[in-house]
Amino acid sequence: GTCMEYTNSSESMLPIDPAPAPLDKFVWTISSSYCNRESNLASAAYWMQFINIVIFFAFLVRIRQFQVQTAKDVDQSKITTSDYSVLIQGLERNMPADDYVDDQGERRSGMVSRVRADIMKALVEMDPKYTKERVAKEVVDIEIGRVCSKEVQQLRRLKALKVKEQELTTKVDDCKAKGKDELCEKRRKELEAVCDAKEKVMHELDRLREEEPDKTTGHAFVVFLYESTRNQFQSYHMPSPGRRTLDNLFPEMIYEPILKLCGCCCQPSQRNQWESAGRGGVVKVLDAPEPDDVIWENLEIPTSWEQWRGLLTFIITLILLVIALFLIVLLKWGQSTITATSVAATEGINLSSEA
């Protein structure tokens, strides 16, 4: 090895030949520059590990930029419903989605009407040529995010029961054709139980639709007649340059909680005051996702909760990387300490043997 050299205690230089007892064929060269405990190689290894961690984080940032650019390229390569739509976030939560009558018998505007009024006000501020008739024509549809987890759960149960009903119906018909009366009776009872369960699910669905008013989740999908109108409306609510840079580098769930804590000025642009805005008064107008990518029941999850969970995941990942770096440095330090101790002990033995 580089930290050992041959002695003159043996005539043979082959490593496999034994040395005359009690001497060793090799001795430690602790004073050599390579094996010197004062060498900078250990500290260089530590710094290389640190540089590896920095490169890894830079790689994550680069991956984020690549994802954003790829999403834009894919979106521009095909025409879908999302090209004519925007997603509005930051609206008031847990309020009636549709117009309703209050306890005093007065008719109140729901979230759909309030969002439509805010969009009209924004379009008029953008271009005074917009009239009520033109807005009604160019704003094709407004779909409000609604609290629907209970309905979705019942719909999934209904889907499973319908599949089960079709299977049992086929089995009953098959039993009748083969003349298996006992098996037919068993299948028929199972079919009746499934039909009863399906009726209960449909009754629960009707109750949820009629008795419980739809509550909002703070989201709205707006579909425009022309893509140019959609682009103009979205550009009018474009976030600040600093925030756009952050969007290209990091997911919103990572930097948004930090901005809120620090009170940073990189906030979304808010040129007009939306009456339908929720707590905080800031409404974001974003690119609408593809219709198949929308999971409606997940819209009930508060955006702040998603952001804090994302930040927590990022912090835990960072802590694990720091711990891994610390363990590597600690192990290398322990290895060098043990090696130095062994070298000193072996050198002492060699000196005593030669003496």
Side-chain angles (χ1 to χ4, degrees), residues 6 11 28 41 45 52 59 61 63-64 120 125 127 198 205 237 254 265 267 288 294 296 317 344 348 353:
Y6 283 101
E11 296 180 355
W28 289 97
L41 291 177
N52 287 338
F59 172 75
V61 173
I63 285 292
R64 171 64 181 176
M120 180 181 296
E125 290 181 0
D127 188 352
K198 189 179 74 171
L205 270 176
H237 296 85
I254 291 179
C265 59
Q267 296 297 325
V294 179
W296 293 96
T317 304
S353 300

Side-chain angles (χ1 to χ4, degrees), residues 105-129:
E106 297 182 3
R107 188 174 183 82
R108 300 291 184 180
S109 298
M111 181 57 68
V112 176
S113 300
R114 293 171 62 181
V115 170
R116 187 178 297 275
D118 287 332
I119 292 175
M120 180 181 296
K121 183 172 65 174
L123 290 175
V124 171
E125 290 181 0
M126 289 164 41
D127 188 352
K129 296 181 181 179

Side-chain angles (χ1 to χ4, degrees), residues 158-194:
L158 182 61
K159 177 183 177 181
L161 289 173
K162 285 185 175 181
V163 173
K164 187 68 174 178
E165 181 184 15
Q166 293 175 356
E167 293 177 353
L168 290 174
T169 301
T170 303
K171 291 180 179 180
V172 169
D173 294 339
D174 185 62
C175 290
K176 289 181 179 180
K178 294 181 179 180
K180 299 180 180 180
D181 297 335
E182 295 182 0
L183 185 59
C184 281
E185 185 65 22
K186 180 181 178 181
R187 300 299 186 192
R188 191 177 294 107
K189 290 182 180 179
E190 293 178 359
L191 180 59
E192 291 176 357
V194 170

Side-chain angles (χ1 to χ4, degrees), residues 116 135-142 222-226:
R116 187 178 297 275
V135 172
K137 176 183 177 182
E138 296 195 8
V139 179
V140 178
D141 187 29
I142 299 176
V222 183
V223 183
F224 294 91
L225 182 62
Y226 302 110

Side-chain angles (χ1 to χ4, degrees), residues 89-90 122 125 236-240 267-275 277 280-285:
Q89 292 182 348
E125 290 181 0
Y236 183 74
H237 296 85
M238 187 71 67
S240 61
Q267 296 297 325
S269 174
Q270 189 69 65
R271 298 192 181 184
N272 62 316
Q273 185 65 33
W274 285 58
E275 296 182 1
V282 177
V283 172
K284 304 176 186 176
V285 180

